Amino acid sequence: MSEGEGIGGGKASLDSATIIGLIVAFALVGAAIVLGGSPESFFNPPSVLIVIGGTIGITTVCFSLGEMLRAGQLIIKTVLYKNQNASTVAVQTIRIAEIARKQGVLQLQNVLDDIRREAFFYKGLSLVVDGTPADEVENMMIGELEAMAGRHHKGANILRKAAEFAPAMGLIGTLIGLVQMLGNLDDPSTIGPSMAVALLTTFYGAVLSNMVLMPLAAKLERNSDDELLINQLYILATASIGRQENPRRLEMMLNSILPPNRRVQYFD
C-alpha cells in the first residue's frame, strides 16, 4: 500500500438512501395534508406527548437505560454510515498479505498507520506484528465480532419493540380523546378538540412506527450485516498473515465468504 492510502470506506458520511427515503416519505404525507387544507389541524401537542413520550417510556421499561442510550448511538450510526466496499477491502488485505509474505511480518509496522481508522483490523494486525500467535489473535477477533453482532441485534430489537408500542400509545391517546369527548357532550365546543386528540394520536403512532422506527431497524440490520462481512474478511486476513500463508490461499478464503458479484481475482 502506498503511503497515505487507507483501507475500507474512509470517514462516516450521511447515508443518502436513509435521508432521501425519509424526506420523500414525509414530503408525500405532508403534501397530502397541505392539499387537503388546514395543515395546522394536524399538530396537537398532547398527542405528540402521548405517542413519543409514551413510546420512549414504555420501551425503556423493557430494557436498561444503558441499552437505550446505546440504541440512540446506533441510530446515529445508521444515518452517519461508513459505506465500505467488500471487494476493495479484500484486495487491500491481499496486498498487505503480499507485503508480509515477501518482506516479513515486521514490515507491516509501516502499514499500520494506513489502517488506523479500521480499529478492528488495526488491533488484530498490531497483535500479529507484536508476535501474538495467529490462532490466539483469531479467537480474540471472533469473540469481539460476536459481541459487536450482539450489540447491533439488541439495538434493532429496541427499535422493533418501540415500533410495536407506538401504535398502542396511539390507541391509548384515542381512548383518552374519546373519553374526554363523551364526558363533555353537553359542551359542543369541546367535541372538536377531543376528537382531534383521538384521531391524531392514532395517526402519530402509525407514522412513528411505520415511517421511522421499522425502517431504521431494517437499515440497522442491513448495515450490521455489511459490517459483519467486512470484519470477517479482516479476521481471515489477519489469521492468514499471522500464519504466513500464501496470499493466493487468502484470496480463495476471502472469495468463499464474499457474494458472487463481489468476488475478487487479484492474481488472475
Side-chain angles (χ1 to χ4, degrees):
M1 300 175 69
S2 61
E3 184 177 355
E5 181 182 1
I7 189 171
K11 294 182 179 180
S13 59
L14 284 174
D15 183 80
S16 57
T18 301
I19 301 300
I20 293 174
L22 289 174
I23 290 175
V24 170
F26 277 95
L28 291 174
V29 173
I33 291 174
V34 172
L35 292 175
S38 63
E40 65 277 0
S41 64
F42 280 82
F43 178 72
N44 186 274
S47 298
V48 174
L49 291 175
I50 291 172
V51 174
I52 296 181
T55 299
I56 294 175
I58 297 303
T59 304
T60 304
V61 174
C62 300
F63 302 92
S64 67
L65 288 176
E67 288 172 337
M68 292 293 292
L69 292 175
R70 285 191 292 271
Q73 295 172 352
L74 288 176
I75 292 174
I76 295 174
K77 287 182 64 178
T78 302
V79 179
L80 294 172
Y81 181 61
K82 182 172 63 175
N83 189 26
Q84 294 177 293
N85 187 301
S87 299
T88 302
V89 169
V91 169
Q92 290 173 327
T93 57
I94 294 172
R95 289 176 182 169
I96 295 175
E98 276 196 306
I99 295 174
R101 180 77 170 181
K102 295 176 180 178
Q103 303 178 22
V105 173
L106 292 179
Q107 291 300 316
L108 296 183
Q109 291 177 340
N110 301 323
V111 178
L112 290 177
D113 286 340
D114 294 331
I115 64 172
R116 190 175 294 273
R117 285 181 180 172
E118 292 302 318
F120 188 73
F121 189 37
Y122 176 83
K123 183 185 299 184
L125 205 58
S126 297
L127 291 173
V128 169
V129 172
D130 291 339
T132 307
D135 290 341
E136 184 177 337
V137 175
E138 184 178 18
N139 290 334
M140 292 172 60
M141 295 180 74
I142 290 175
E144 185 171 343
L145 182 64
E146 291 175 347
M148 182 194 71
R151 291 193 299 270
H152 290 181
H153 181 68
K154 178 71 71 175
N157 279 346
I158 290 175
L159 289 177
R160 292 193 183 280
K161 183 63 69 175
E164 293 177 8
F165 288 136
M169 295 308 303
L171 177 59
I172 291 174
T174 297
L175 296 176
I176 292 174
L178 291 176
V179 169
Q180 292 175 342
M181 181 185 69
L182 295 174
N184 295 279
L185 289 178
D186 56 338
D187 185 1
S189 64
T190 64
I191 295 178
S194 299
M195 182 60 72
V197 174
L199 296 179
L200 284 177
T201 48
T202 300
F203 172 71
Y204 289 155
V207 168
L208 181 61
S209 175
N210 296 288
M211 294 180 62
V212 179
L213 296 173
M214 289 295 287
L216 286 179
K219 178 55 73 73
L220 178 57
E221 290 175 340
R222 181 260 183 198
N223 291 349
S224 178
D225 289 340
D226 285 351
E227 190 171 351
L228 289 175
L229 174 61
I230 296 295
N231 286 338
Q232 286 173 341
L233 297 178
Y234 287 149
I235 291 175
L236 288 177
T238 303
S240 179
I241 293 169
R243 299 187 185 104
Q244 298 185 355
E245 295 174 344
N246 192 313
R248 291 181 179 271
R249 184 174 187 275
L250 173 60
E251 181 187 30
M252 294 177 61
M253 291 191 299
L254 295 177
N255 282 332
S256 69
I257 65 171
L258 283 170
N261 63 333
R262 295 188 182 182
R263 290 174 182 169
V264 297
Q265 294 181 335
Y266 184 82
F267 293 102
D268 296 336

